[in-house]
Amino acid sequence: MQHLSLALMPTVEIDGRRIEVEDGTTVIRAAERLGIEIPHYCWHPGLSIAGNCRMCLVEIEKMPKLQIACNTRVTGGMVVHTTSEKTKAAQHAVLEFLLINHPIDCPVCDQAGECKLQEYYMDYDRQPSRVPLPAKVRKRKAKPIGPLVILDQERCVMCSRCVRFLDEVTRTSELAFYQRGDHVELDLAPGKTLDNPYSANVIDICPVGALTSRDFRFRARVWYLERTESVCGACANGCNIQIYHREGTIYRFQPRENDAVNQYWMCDAGRMSYRDLQGEGRLLQPLVRGADEFVPAMWESALGAVAARLREGGAGIVVSAQASNEEVYLLRRIAAAVSARVAGISWSPPGAFHDDFLVKADKNPNTQGLRLQGLAPGGAVDEMLSAADLRTLVLHRADLASWRGAGAALERVPYLVVLDTDIRETAEYANVVLPIGTYAESDGTFTNHAGRVQRFRAAVKPPGDARPGWEALAALLAALDGGGRFESAEAVFAALAAECPPFAGLGYDALGTQGRPAAG
């Protein structure tokens, strides 16, 4: 039995620290679990092992030569040294080799601050170059190779991550290496451009400044940016992302690892959807219709007018799958307080692009969340609009005029309340317009197509007097039922979990950074 245990869970000692790992675990993975960094360029956990950069060479006792940690499996009793003199000498040699023809243009490189060549040189090398700049091999710089990616051939360290991503993940093979010796260069395959739905992932996995973003290029230095963990709201997949932002402006989305949802990747459409969250058409303050036009109003007076109208009865509420779980719950509570009807809607453009990887045809982040709270995503909206006793209609993130051509029906609604982020066609028919924040401006949760409940966090504040959606609805609910007011999105979710069986046992702490499946 002892022999079987060793075979299944070998123990390795790395730099004097021991760890038991699963059979088949590589040295670089075992070291990662111990918090020991083994420098590397070509290895990436989402790609096949190439073993060509040699930066991860380590010394292993009883082995005559240094071994690459990325492709050496742990065996029982293995002893590894990552900082021995032999290892350091190898790291020096590899870095000197990689820098022979590098242009050393860090001050004008957009990768500065997140470049592994720059970082490893400072951590493991710091030796002056023996090759003067005029003697270096010159290659093409700043070459656009697709709508989102620009290539600098001189900075490439030939790690082949991008080539393997395009061969193994997208299977489109737009990039390859050409020429020989020190004239080897990364370039487009003949007749191709890098324009597949996941093209910008090569920017994320490029460890140096060879592949950079045409969108983000020279807009900000990364050390000035803050990062906030979130979830992409561009479709029902719910890819995990980092939002990079500064002083209220979002600069980019990047994928965040979650093996259960998106592995290490995200689509280009989702990546660029950050632009939709900070357009020029944002609603900045509550508006109440006057005799001829909208008049700015204070939140409390606008909410008071809406609450008074809802108490008169004959109310209907339409909530779209763009709303968070918390917002859907609060709208159901508001409906219960005034005996209103509630309908859910999940609208996507006809023929919306989708594939069998990450992109879903459902362009709403929370269709499954509507279902789990008992609202069919194709709810009886038309019946609600045509009901003779409809006196007040509340639309939450639901642009019915644009989505369903319901402008004529909205004209007949006696009193229309719109809660939305932007000025859209539906707002033209409203009596009261309440400005609310996007998911990047609020805390909350979405339930993705597979039923996984995931948190998003406020990265920036809503513009002007706009409020997070849950906060506006919590205030309206308090005005209606006179009860205590929810003070946070987390408190709203706790109430939802206590009432709704599919969310039972879940809470913000339990969801963590990668979410958990709902029960339903």
Side-chain angles (χ1 to χ4, degrees):
M1 290 300 291
Q2 186 179 6
H3 175 75
L4 179 62
S5 174
L6 284 174
L8 293 176
M9 297 289 286
T11 298
V12 60
E13 179 181 311
I14 304 176
D15 294 345
R17 298 166 62 188
R18 297 170 65 85
I19 186 172
E20 191 177 69
V21 296
E22 298 81 8
D23 186 37
T25 302
T26 58
V27 172
I28 201 169
R29 281 290 206 183
E32 194 176 63
R33 292 188 193 177
L34 286 170
I36 296 173
E37 181 190 51
I38 297 178
H40 58 275
Y41 290 110
C42 66
W43 181 76
H44 187 283
L47 302 172
S48 64
I49 296 174
N52 61 354
C53 77
R54 319 308 285 180
M55 191 63 200
C56 68
L57 284 168
V58 294
E59 185 176 2
I60 300 176
E61 292 186 5
K62 299 179 182 178
M63 291 190 178
K65 296 181 179 178
L66 298 178
Q67 302 294 314
I68 51 174
C70 66
N71 202 24
T72 301
R73 293 186 177 186
V74 166
T75 58
M78 179 181 278
V79 179
V80 180
H81 302 285
T82 71
T83 58
S84 67
E85 290 305 314
K86 284 185 178 179
T87 302
K88 289 179 179 177
Q91 291 166 345
H92 279 286
V94 170
L95 283 167
E96 182 176 23
F97 176 75
L98 293 176
L99 287 164
I100 284 176
N101 289 308
H102 190 277
I104 319 294
D105 57 352
C106 302
V108 295
C109 177
D110 211 40
Q111 191 78 358
E114 50 187 358
C115 172
K116 286 298 181 184
L117 191 58
Q118 185 182 52
E119 187 179 313
Y120 289 163
Y121 174 79
M122 299 304 294
D123 290 345
Y124 301 100
D125 195 19
R126 296 201 181 199
Q127 59 182 318
S129 175
R130 287 182 279 183
V131 181
L133 281 174
K136 291 175 181 278
V137 175
R138 295 300 185 198
K139 299 173 186 173
R140 189 165 177 183
K141 300 183 75 65
K143 176 183 179 181
I145 58 173
L148 297 181
V149 186
I150 198 160
L151 167 64
D152 186 312
Q153 293 176 323
E154 288 185 347
R155 297 174 185 159
C156 180
V157 295
M158 317 299 169
C159 72
S160 78
R161 281 186 179 186
C162 56
V163 176
R164 281 175 284 147
F165 173 81
L166 297 171
D167 288 346
E168 299 166 7
V169 180
T170 65
R171 301 180 187 277
T172 49
S173 303
E174 292 95 337
L175 290 174
F177 291 117
Y178 299 90
Q179 308 300 332
R180 302 181 67 182
D182 61 0
H183 284 71
V184 169
E185 60 188 22
L186 178 71
D187 208 345
L188 287 168
K192 290 198 172 186
T193 57
L194 184 51
D195 192 18
N196 68 66
Y198 300 90
S199 67
N201 287 282
V202 299
I203 301 166
D204 305 328
I205 61 176
C206 179
V208 295
L211 297 168
T212 52
S213 167
R214 298 180 70 175
D215 176 69
F216 180 68
R217 191 173 168 83
F218 302 131
R219 291 180 59 213
R221 286 298 197 187
V222 291
W223 52 79
Y224 291 128
L225 301 181
E226 298 177 64
R227 287 186 292 178
T228 301
E229 293 182 341
S230 189
V231 176
C232 178
C235 82
N237 198 61
C239 291
N240 289 205
I241 61 170
Q242 296 274 11
I243 298 177
Y244 285 73
H245 57 94
R246 182 190 182 199
E247 296 179 350
T249 300
I250 298 173
Y251 285 85
R252 67 180 181 183
F253 283 176
Q254 280 195 340
R256 181 166 55 89
E257 179 186 353
N258 189 332
D259 289 341
V261 179
N262 56 295
Q263 301 168 32
Y264 306 90
W265 326 115
M266 71 181 301
C267 72
D268 290 352
R271 184 185 300 268
M272 301 308 297
S273 66
Y274 82 91
R275 293 175 172 175
D276 301 332
L277 305 182
Q278 46 190 13
E280 295 181 352
R282 292 297 303 271
L283 289 162
L284 302 177
Q285 59 188 136
L287 300 172
V288 176
R289 185 171 293 280
D292 300 316
E293 59 184 8
F294 282 118
V295 177
M298 301 297 289
W299 265 99
E300 298 313 317
S301 63
L303 288 173
V306 173
R309 184 74 187 191
L310 289 172
R311 288 194 196 96
E312 295 176 4
I317 296 173
V318 177
V319 54
S320 83
Q322 295 286 324
S324 67
N325 290 315
E326 291 79 358
E327 291 170 3
V328 176
Y329 171 73
L330 288 168
L331 286 164
R332 290 196 299 112
R333 287 278 303 268
I334 290 169
V338 297
S339 301
R341 293 155 288 187
V342 187
I345 183 170
S346 179
W347 183 87
S348 299
F353 173 76
H354 65 282
D355 59 24
D356 58 0
F357 186 32
L358 300 180
V359 184
K360 301 295 180 286
D362 181 0
K363 301 306 176 187
N364 301 275
N366 201 33
T367 301
Q368 192 65 8
L370 281 181
R371 289 195 181 98
L372 293 180
Q373 294 198 52
L375 298 176
V381 176
D382 293 333
E383 291 82 347
M384 185 181 292
L385 290 174
S386 60
D389 61 344
L390 180 66
R391 288 180 44 76
T392 302
L393 180 64
V394 177
L395 300 180
H396 187 84
R397 302 188 192 274
D399 186 15
L400 296 185
S402 298
W403 296 350
R404 303 172 66 113
L410 294 176
E411 276 189 342
R412 296 192 294 270
V413 175
Y415 195 88
L416 179 63
V417 180
V418 171
L419 292 95
D420 211 338
T421 58
D422 292 76
I423 301 171
R424 308 182 203 275
E425 184 180 349
T426 295
E428 297 176 9
Y429 303 94
N431 297 85
V432 177
V433 180
L434 301 176
I436 54 177
T438 67
Y439 69 88
E441 298 159 354
S442 175
D443 294 327
T445 58
F446 291 139
T447 307
N448 79 349
H449 72 105
R452 191 175 192 84
V453 184
Q454 303 185 102
R455 284 190 63 187
F456 54 85
R457 297 164 176 79
V460 296
K461 294 181 179 178
D465 291 334
R467 293 180 176 181
W470 71 264
E471 188 176 322
L473 295 174
L476 179 58
L477 176 62
L480 286 168
D481 67 8
R485 184 164 162 174
F486 289 105
E487 296 297 330
S488 68
E490 182 175 10
V492 179
F493 188 83
L496 166 65
E499 180 209 285
C500 193
F503 296 90
L506 298 180
Y508 276 14
D509 288 342
L511 293 177
T513 60
Q514 300 205 324
R516 285 180 55 182

